[in-house]
Amino acid sequence: SSSIDLGFDHSANSGESGGFNGIDPTVRDSWKDLEFNTPDDAYNFYVDYGNHEGFGVRIYNQSACPKLNGGSSAVYYIKYCCNKEGWKRGSENNPDNAGVVDTTVRVRNVPELRGGCNGAYIRLRWFKEFKCYKIYRWYNVHNHDMIPESLRHYVRSSRRMAPVYKMLAEVNDAAGIGVTSSYNAISRAGG
């Protein structure tokens, strides 16, 4: 894939100038040997990378391929992408929908996160011979500004709950304590 320079200065908000753990998406040798035991490990890696660079991450798709995966229904192919990639179905912001009203789509009155990003993403697949997931394609072109470092903790994919608070939420749920009450208790305890 060729990259297009849209005039955004992505280095302005990228934190350290040394990159992310020595990884440069434009240099295949810097990431081709990365190995992940589970899809969650790969997702957490890409979320950390996205947080470092200033964008959120979402799961674009995951698919099992029993034919290629020895009959297993485990995830074989995975694609994680920028959370602003593409457009929501029926979006008024999508240039392709200009002047078209789709009555089959329920429109909610919430701000839209997606902005038609060109699709910065990583693609992974399961390699039987290595018994791990490896990145086989990394495309890193955004058509939007990166999130400033002071606001990155608000990005949904970067929010994490400490294991002890997660366990407390599960215990509260099992005890029949509502989500709001549980969240308020955890907020008070964690600050």
Side-chain angles (χ1 to χ4, degrees):
S1 299
S2 62
S3 63
I4 302 168
D5 187 329
L6 297 172
F8 294 112
D9 181 8
H10 298 296
S11 64
N13 296 322
S14 64
E16 307 162 22
S17 58
F20 179 76
N21 295 334
I23 296 168
D24 179 357
T26 61
V27 180
R28 188 172 195 282
D29 284 341
S30 73
W31 52 263
K32 70 177 176 125
D33 294 327
L34 292 175
E35 298 180 349
F36 306 98
N37 294 323
T38 66
D40 285 342
D41 292 343
Y43 178 76
N44 289 333
F45 163 79
Y46 198 51
V47 165
D48 289 343
Y49 173 79
N51 191 43
H52 180 271
E53 295 299 313
F55 66 94
V57 172
R58 68 182 173 89
I59 299 170
Y60 184 84
N61 66 5
Q62 296 185 20
S63 61
C65 191
K67 186 176 177 182
L68 296 173
N69 209 8
S72 171
S73 63
V75 174
Y76 191 75
Y77 289 108
I78 310 166
K79 180 179 177 183
Y80 300 121
C81 67
C82 172
N83 69 342
K84 293 184 182 232
E85 192 272 336
W87 299 99
K88 278 192 171 179
R89 191 170 154 233
S91 170
E92 293 176 4
N93 296 333
N94 185 344
D96 295 337
N97 292 342
V100 178
V101 177
D102 187 353
T103 57
T104 63
V105 178
R106 188 180 114 219
V107 179
R108 294 174 38 206
N109 191 17
V110 294
E112 186 169 323
L113 280 179
R114 296 194 197 172
C117 181
N118 290 336
Y121 62 83
I122 60 170
R123 287 182 187 254
L124 302 101
R125 81 172 182 89
W126 176 256
F127 285 84
K128 282 190 293 192
E129 60 273 20
F130 301 115
K131 295 184 169 84
C132 66
Y133 291 92
K134 293 181 103 176
I135 300 170
Y136 68 91
R137 184 169 300 137
W138 192 327
Y139 185 67
N140 197 43
V141 176
H142 298 269
N143 65 354
H144 54 86
D145 287 328
M146 298 291 108
I147 300 165
E149 198 166 341
S150 63
L151 302 175
R152 291 181 188 170
H153 61 284
Y154 291 118
V155 175
R156 177 176 284 171
S157 60
S158 297
R159 295 182 208 156
R160 297 218 174 92
M161 186 181 284
V164 68
Y165 296 128
K166 187 174 183 180
M167 187 173 62
L168 179 61
E170 290 168 355
V171 168
N172 287 348
D173 183 50
I177 298 173
V179 174
T180 303
S181 299
S182 182
Y183 178 79
N184 288 339
I186 291 170
S187 294
R188 281 192 207 106

